[in-house]
Amino acid sequence: MAQGDGLPLAEFKWNTCKPITISTDALLYDENGMYVFTRARLDEAFRQCWERLKTLVETGKCVRLVAMCGLPGCGKSTWVQQFGALEGDGTVFFDDLLYSPVKRKAFLEQLSHRAIQVPVEIIVVQRDWE
């Protein structure tokens, strides 16, 4: 656990409603609803996200993974909220930045490293900032 910089991440309650979404950002809010970013908290958030995904796959609750890609604030989470439930049972959304080929490659390598074997699709959300 990341101690000394906000709420211990181990107390996070995972979303079990549809659509099932795994989000590192969701783990970075403290008990007062403040976003607290430190490297230690981010590392712990990723550890918990990967652990959660592995559990969902092993229990048959994830048979398809959709990785949400885009810059911060572009609408990834909003897209999942509005359209995610239409994707059907067994679909899990990994809501993270993944905005560059390097980040997407690292994400896919983590899936392999952790022996998570499910089909992966990527949805890229772009926003016109003007």
Side-chain angles (χ1 to χ4, degrees):
M1 282 190 292
Q3 302 276 352
D5 52 6
L7 179 70
L9 300 182
E11 295 179 22
F12 183 77
K13 302 292 186 236
W14 285 103
N15 167 23
T16 57
C17 303
K18 292 185 174 89
I20 295 175
T21 305
I22 296 173
S23 168
T24 52
D25 265 357
L27 294 163
L28 296 176
Y29 288 89
D30 69 12
E31 65 276 7
N32 299 312
M34 298 295 297
Y35 190 80
V36 180
F37 180 90
T38 65
R39 186 72 221 181
R41 287 178 66 84
L42 182 62
D43 290 346
E44 176 61 12
F46 270 114
R47 187 195 67 72
Q48 288 192 33
C49 286
W50 287 113
E51 185 177 290
R52 174 71 173 148
L53 180 58
K54 181 85 169 166
T55 299
L56 290 168
V57 170
E58 289 173 348
T59 60
K61 293 179 181 168
C62 176
V63 297
R64 175 177 164 241
L65 181 62
V66 178
M68 300 302 295
C69 304
L71 294 172
C74 72
K76 298 177 300 296
S77 300
T78 300
W79 190 97
V80 172
Q81 290 170 353
Q82 292 179 351
F83 304 107
L86 302 174
E87 295 297 316
D89 290 341
T91 299
V92 172
F93 292 87
F94 200 102
D95 186 1
D96 197 31
L97 300 177
L98 304 173
Y99 54 80
S100 72
V102 170
K103 289 190 177 288
R104 289 189 293 275
K105 180 181 180 200
F107 175 78
L108 295 172
E109 287 172 351
Q110 279 295 317
L111 288 172
S112 177
H113 172 74
R114 296 169 185 277
I116 297 173
Q117 298 179 354
V118 293
V120 178
E121 296 178 28
I122 293 177
I123 294 178
V124 177
V125 179
Q126 295 181 319
R127 176 178 174 181
D128 182 1
W129 294 98
E130 296 199 25

